[in-house]
Amino acid sequence: MSGLFGLGIVFCVLVLGISIAVGIWGRRLTRNLADYYVAGRSVDAINNGLAMVSLSLSLTTFLGLTALIWYGFYLAIAIYAAFTAAFLIMLVVAAPYLRRHKTFTSMDFIGERYYSPRLRMLAVFIMLVVSTLYLVGNIKGIGIVFEYLLGIPAIWGVLIGGLVVTAYVTLGGMYGVTYNQTFQSIVLTIAFIVPLMVILKRLGITGWWFPPLGYGQAVPAMVEVTPYYFFPFVVHPVWYIAVFLGSAFGIIGLPHFVMRYFTVRDAKDARWSTVVCALLVGLVNTSAYAMGFAGVYYVAQTGIEIARADADKLVFILTQALTNNWLLALAVAGALAASLSTVAGLLMIMGTGLVHDLYAVIRPGMKEDRKLTLSIWTMFAVGVACTLLSIRPPEFILVTIMWAFGIAGASLGVPITMGIWWKRATREGAAASMIVGFLTSFVPYVMIEIMKMEPTAISRFFYGPLGWVKVIAWSMPLTFLTMVVVSWLTKPPPLEVKKQVDAMHGWPDYREERYHGKALPITVAVLSVLIMLFVTTLYDVFPK
Amino acid sequence: MDPYRRECWLTAICFILVTVFGGILSVFFVVGKDLFFGPAPAYAAKRFVLGFPSHYFWLLVGSWLFVTAVGAFYAWYMDRLEKEIERGKTG
């Protein structure tokens, strides 16, 4: 867009103003540390479900997904299908059990379950790495919104957006974050689906009133101009397995997602909030496929060239071309809401992790009011630091976030899952798995994204579009295998720790034989070996 | 079956259903390609549902509505199981 977009600025100021007002209101509800960190564990299922929706649907959906659909078609859809399903994996293996554990964060959980303050500190380090990766991509999105749509230089977008979100997180703590996320969730869902309905209608699609499944009539014309649009064969089957493992265990490993479960009233709310979240996330994701489809269809029909560097802006290019300024302003506000909600969740976990899981472990016995004051100032410092860090963001938002999922899944998702379901999982097993998981996923990230090495130079199997994703199909099983083998070879956890496992599952009494069988570790070990074999020696059996 | 075994079996079954229908459905489209696609190199889709190639349609529905239904059933059943455990039926 050329020049300032007045209507968009008005909508954005409204979103920013309401966010700060909710933050101030959240401050009035905050009386102690539990209020600041986990909203007093008072959030109901619907509210938490909606908050999780906006936390999940960051700018990666608004901008990154459509960019990836434009660039990679079916692969992007497979990624988001796995991402939607990952919430249900979280539901069945982690969410209600974590809520019953009564800790504040994933790092706290690891420290308690694996009876080790050192592991808690290691978890804080990993959390900082993955949260930073996740965060800078999202703050970059705010810059895109400001620069492309409002005509304001991106750096101002990064600074204004970053500081506003820092202000309301610092002021309102988890109350402010939760109710802001609920508000932002409603804004972004409407802002995504309503313009999409108009776009589909303008393209002559009769099923415009239900975007997720309404665009089937345009498929023949699309296949004619882009024959490979629905083509699943551009990657090896291992790629899909890697995407699933990264999504399913990544979501369990990403501390800002897990932290939402510590805010609900009980395990029942943890379960139903995940169902609400999955239903709405699925609705927006499948609508995003429709948006991507419409974008590619429009470009193919009109022959309009879009530079690859503009891929992240496809939603706005389409909305501008096919709708009016009101809907474009609404889409801008939705994108802004999406980025703010995710950034807020990340700042919350980073600030809490630094004070509650790092400083309080180094300096035990700190008074609660001192801890609360320190948390507020740490949250502010983290927000400012991350905003400044985001001035030089990565090229593609979604790629960076996929790395964050892979690293978090291997290094935190595995010990959390095994800690819930296997009493025999030991401190040493967790330590070894966290180190193996982190090194086998973070080192390839550094080699590929920072040192700019070709993925095929690391392994011949990492060829093709997003070929590096197959790293996850190696690192995740290796991490699981390490956890099982090292735990078996080391001394069992103390009784007090094993009691935590029964308590997490809601048992009022303790029985040694529960969650102690050999079936789970043997199944996990065998599956891990099979997947690793699939990635290597059996690789050439299947089509490439 | 005691509540402990029911919890473990239900979790395992729901985990497998979500993994298959939500997570790795695309693997079956690639490995069992003859069911869904014509011959190479065109690999034209053989079947369509609501205008979509069947593999794409099942991915949309499986990864969203089907797995959400599985999750809702799991949540409902676990609510009941939780009450049983609270009433003192230990496994």
Side-chain angles (χ1 to χ4, degrees), chain A residues 164-177:
Chain A
V164 165
V165 77
T166 300
Y168 80 70
V169 171
T170 306
L171 282 170
M174 189 50 101
Y175 274 118
V177 169

Side-chain angles (χ1 to χ4, degrees), chain A residues 55 165 168-169 177 181 256 259 340-350:
Chain A
L55 188 63
V165 77
Y168 80 70
V169 171
V177 169
Q181 284 177 336
H256 69 289
M259 199 176 182
L340 292 178
S341 57
T342 308
V343 172
L346 288 158
L347 290 185
M348 194 71 213
I349 190 65
M350 290 167 94

Side-chain angles (χ1 to χ4, degrees), chain A residues 60-71 192 288 291-292 311 314-315:
Chain A
T60 54
T61 309
F62 239 93
L63 307 179
L65 175 57
T66 43
L68 203 65
I69 287 176
W70 181 67
Y71 167 64
F192 196 80
M291 182 72 92
L314 194 67
V315 171

Side-chain angles (χ1 to χ4, degrees), chain B:
Chain B
M1 201 188 286
D2 65 57
Y4 167 66
R5 284 186 191 283
R6 269 188 283 155
E7 184 205 11
C8 292
W9 275 109
L10 182 70
T11 303
I13 290 166
C14 289
F15 183 88
I16 291 166
L17 283 175
V18 174
T19 302
V20 169
F21 287 95
I24 56 170
L25 203 58
S26 302
V27 174
F28 302 113
F29 303 141
V30 178
V31 175
K33 61 183 184 304
D34 296 341
L35 279 173
F36 299 93
F37 304 96
Y43 288 116
K46 272 184 182 172
R47 296 178 186 85
F48 292 85
V49 185
L50 294 179
F52 297 107
S54 58
H55 74 288
Y56 179 77
F57 178 82
W58 293 122
L59 184 67
L60 290 192
V61 173
S63 66
W64 173 31
L65 296 175
F66 182 77
V67 296
T68 304
V70 170
F73 173 75
Y74 177 83
W76 169 77
Y77 194 89
M78 289 304 287
D79 287 350
R80 288 181 49 182
L81 198 64
E82 206 170 71
K83 280 182 188 155
E84 275 186 42
I85 291 171
E86 279 169 13
R87 283 199 301 266
K89 282 190 182 179
T90 58

Side-chain angles (χ1 to χ4, degrees), chain A residues 371-444:
Chain A
K371 210 167 165 183
L372 183 59
T373 311
L374 195 63
S375 297
I376 291 169
W377 283 107
T378 307
M379 216 73 85
F380 181 75
V382 167
V384 173
C386 288
T387 303
L388 296 176
L389 195 67
S390 305
I391 288 171
R392 292 188 64 188
E395 190 183 353
F396 278 105
I397 298 174
L398 188 58
V399 169
T400 314
I401 287 170
M402 284 168 71
W403 275 108
F405 265 84
I407 297 164
S411 45
L412 295 177
V414 172
I416 290 174
T417 308
M418 295 304 278
I420 292 169
W421 287 96
W422 192 36
K423 269 180 192 158
R424 189 67 178 76
T426 64
R427 175 181 54 196
E428 293 77 9
S433 72
M434 285 166 76
I435 293 166
V436 167
F438 184 75
L439 291 180
T440 53
S441 51
F442 187 69
V443 172

Side-chain angles (χ1 to χ4, degrees), chain A residues 227-390:
Chain A
Y228 51 92
Y229 189 81
F230 295 105
F231 213 55
F233 305 112
V234 287
V235 292
H236 189 274
V238 162
W239 189 91
Y240 296 108
I241 293 173
V243 165
F244 170 69
L245 289 174
S247 303
F249 294 99
I251 212 160
I252 296 170
L254 281 165
H256 69 289
F257 280 111
V258 171
M259 199 176 182
R260 287 248 47 97
Y261 289 107
F262 296 117
T263 68
V264 291
R265 293 175 301 198
D266 53 24
K268 186 179 176 180
D269 280 341
R271 283 192 288 269
W272 286 104
S273 62
T274 316
V275 175
V276 170
C277 170
L279 189 66
L280 287 176
V281 165
L283 173 72
V284 179
N285 281 347
T286 47
S287 298
Y289 312 157
M291 182 72 92
F293 181 95
V296 182
Y297 185 63
Y298 173 75
V299 170
Q301 278 196 328
T302 59
I304 291 170
E305 288 286 322
I306 297 176
R308 198 175 149 169
D310 287 336
D312 281 341
K313 298 164 190 165
L314 194 67
V315 171
F316 303 118
I317 293 171
L318 207 61
T319 309
Q320 191 183 0
L322 293 170
T323 71
N324 55 40
N325 272 354
W326 283 93
L327 288 179
L328 181 60
L330 184 65
V332 174
L336 187 62
S339 59
L340 292 178
S341 57
T342 308
V343 172
L346 288 158
L347 290 185
M348 194 71 213
I349 190 65
M350 290 167 94
T352 308
L354 282 171
V355 178
H356 179 68
D357 298 308
L358 190 65
Y359 190 73
V361 171
I362 298 167
R363 290 269 179 92
M366 197 175 11
K367 284 185 180 167
E368 193 173 293
D369 54 346
R370 162 100 180 107
K371 210 167 165 183
L372 183 59
T373 311
L374 195 63
S375 297
I376 291 169
W377 283 107
T378 307
M379 216 73 85
F380 181 75
V382 167
V384 173
C386 288
T387 303
L388 296 176
L389 195 67
S390 305

